[in-house]
Amino acid sequence: MIRLVAGNWKMNGSLAANRELLDGIRSVEGVELAVCVPYPYLAQLAQRPAGLELGAQDVSEHAEGAFTGEVSASMLAEFGCRYVIVGHSERRAFFGEDDLVVGRKALAALGAGLVPIVCVGETLAERDAGAALVVVGRQLAAVRDVVGPEAMAGVVIAYEPVWAIGTGRSATSAQVGEVHGAIRRWLEDGGVAAAGVRILYGGSVKPANAAEIFAVPDVDGGLIGGASLAAADFMAICRAAAAVC
């Protein structure tokens, strides 16, 4: 399958900085590129490099109504979004989103024709307790139970060990391979057409470690945080993904 490298700008950017960044992004043969940007910049990204897909960083579980401050999946679709991140660890930790809410958001995204990038991952305490696979399985089960096994085949999964996000630390190749392989098996055992599901790694991917990470079996791309804010770094990561296709 074609690898996906998606940048998550988080709460960063300005009109000028965004334009400079986009000027440095070019399509890479054999890799799908996307950027998930703050809501206010969706309109600006209507003018983006050819081959660059657009995504948002969150979506409401509700279709419409009296939900001040929320943004629906249909609104994102109108702005040309293909992807939307749901269940990012920062949403779970800072805004109290639980597994069921994440499942409902994934369902809302699918209903509007968007591809949800469902984030899963364990904290350092959970890993040290030997519960990493249990936690990831629980998070995935909540999504599958809401959207159903058949629809689950249309989801992108991003494994983000929480302890490796924005810390400069990265999981070893063995740790990444263990969890990605377990996710693939979990999908298969749950009746999901797992072979076509892209599983991204999202724990501090940088140009220096991208090639090693993308060479790990069952790693189908990356969800890139800080490195996606520098065009040179983002493109280096994309080229690393292409090199191991």
Side-chain angles (χ1 to χ4, degrees):
M1 72 181 76
I2 186 170
R3 281 184 165 82
L4 170 63
V5 178
N8 175 15
W9 290 5
K10 304 193 179 185
M11 197 174 71
N12 294 291
S14 69
L15 292 174
N18 298 349
R19 178 48 54 199
E20 182 178 354
L21 176 55
L22 292 172
D23 285 344
I25 296 177
R26 298 291 182 271
S27 61
V28 175
E29 186 175 357
V31 178
E32 183 179 358
L33 278 63
V35 287
C36 298
V37 308
Y39 293 140
Y41 300 131
L42 292 175
Q44 183 188 24
L45 268 289
Q47 303 297 320
R48 59 186 183 275
L52 180 64
E53 297 287 355
L54 180 59
Q57 298 172 10
D58 191 24
V59 66
S60 177
E61 64 184 281
H62 305 288
E64 61 182 354
F67 302 103
T68 301
E70 291 287 272
V71 175
S72 73
S74 62
M75 294 174 183
L76 298 180
E78 279 197 317
F79 275 86
C81 286
R82 171 168 169 74
Y83 294 102
V84 60
I85 299 170
V86 298
H88 191 280
S89 61
E90 292 159 2
R91 299 296 312 177
R92 295 177 188 262
F94 302 149
F95 300 98
E97 294 186 7
D98 60 25
D99 297 337
L100 182 57
V101 167
V102 175
R104 289 172 176 166
K105 289 187 172 188
L107 181 65
L110 289 166
L114 303 177
V115 178
I117 300 175
V118 176
C119 297
V120 297
E122 80 283 5
T123 64
L124 183 59
E126 289 165 338
R127 170 158 285 276
D128 288 345
L133 299 184
V134 173
V135 170
V136 169
R138 185 201 73 220
Q139 293 168 337
L140 289 171
V143 177
R144 182 199 59 198
D145 291 349
V146 173
V147 308
E150 183 175 348
M152 194 77 174
V155 166
V156 172
I157 296 169
Y159 168 56
E160 297 188 313
V162 179
W163 49 272
I165 300 175
T167 64
R169 297 176 59 183
S170 185
T172 66
S173 296
Q175 290 171 326
V176 174
E178 177 191 26
V179 178
H180 278 241
I183 290 173
R184 189 85 65 194
R185 291 189 298 273
W186 185 94
L187 292 170
E188 292 170 348
D189 293 344
V192 179
V197 177
R198 289 185 287 190
I199 307 172
L200 313 183
Y201 177 68
S204 295
V205 180
K206 304 177 288 291
N209 63 13
E212 179 182 359
I213 289 171
F214 293 145
V216 175
D218 292 309
V219 173
D220 305 312
L223 182 60
I224 316 301
S228 70
L229 298 173
D233 288 349
F234 187 60
M235 294 311 301
I237 292 169
C238 294
R239 289 192 293 271
V244 295
C245 286

